[in-house]
Amino acid sequence: MKKALITGANKGIGLEVARQLLQKGYYVYLGSRNLKNGEIAVESLKGEGLTNAEAVELDVTSQNSVNSARIEIEKKTDVLDVLINNAGINGVKFDGNTPIMHTATDTSVAVFKEVYEVNVYGVIRTTQAFLDLLKKSSAPRIVMVSSSQGSLALHSDPTFIHYKFKGAVYQSSKSALNMYTIVLAYELRDFPFKVNAVSPGSTKTDFNHHLGAGSVEVAGNRIVKYALIGKDGPTGKFFSEDMQTETGEIPW
Ligand code: NAP
């Protein structure tokens, strides 16, 4: 049975990705920074008959937590087939239903650090910690849950639908994640890895006070597709199914 680890899997898109991978026959470790919340999520999946799941305490901002998760998982398996780096925050406060976007001119470095700690350094920490287990898989897959908001090409194109939705912190964190994805895919090019960044599209979750456009089912499906891609599939690419390009690929 193939094994997958998902960060931030106790709710939102991460939980749905867990559900869909379980339905595909994977054994899923649900990373959750609060173990209790992870266990509640696992119980809800078990209630749906999806029993091959367990919660693992994993706070991506803590090296100790990531190391402990690595030790816990290694006690149970010596191979990991899929890593979904899903945990993410935007650090955005809301005024009613209106997000207060982070300006480039006066947002404090502390806010950048808080968001980068999860969206960038958290991904690096987790990926590096689990890379040796992934290398033992015959077909390792890493999916970075990114955002079209992180595309430098799109955000400098005035015809981009979200051109005016500018925020200095979250958007730049996903741009940094994107470049990490490109370099990681390049370094792993001689292994059977597929490493891709996927934008799930605007989705109703706690992340945006449920003001997103789409469902977690659709978002989860977009991510799972790249966790399951075959040996001839792409690597080092950026996909966003909701941008309606011919192949789903979008510019970095
Ligand atoms: P969500 O419902 O807020 O879920 C975020 C998940 O990340 C939660 O499980 C949360 O755990 C976890 N998390 C936060 N900080 C963490 C940390 N330090 N360590 C481990 N886990 C942590 O948001 P979502 O919409 O599902 O977002 C999932 C991913 O999709 C994010 O990377 C986001 O950037 C991306 N995305 C979302 C949208 C959208 O419209 N929703 C669009 C594009 C991209 P807690 O429950 O403990 O907070």
Side-chain angles (χ1 to χ4, degrees), residues 8-14 33 58-61 86-89 118 145-147 170 174 199-203 205-208:
N10 54 288
K11 68 177 185 181
I13 296 170
R33 63 177 161 165
L58 202 172
D59 180 340
V60 301
T61 66
N86 165 76
I89 61 170
V118 180
V145 181
S146 185
S147 170
Y170 177 71
K174 293 296 189 183
S199 173
S202 172
T203 307
T205 64
D206 290 349
F207 183 83
N208 48 30

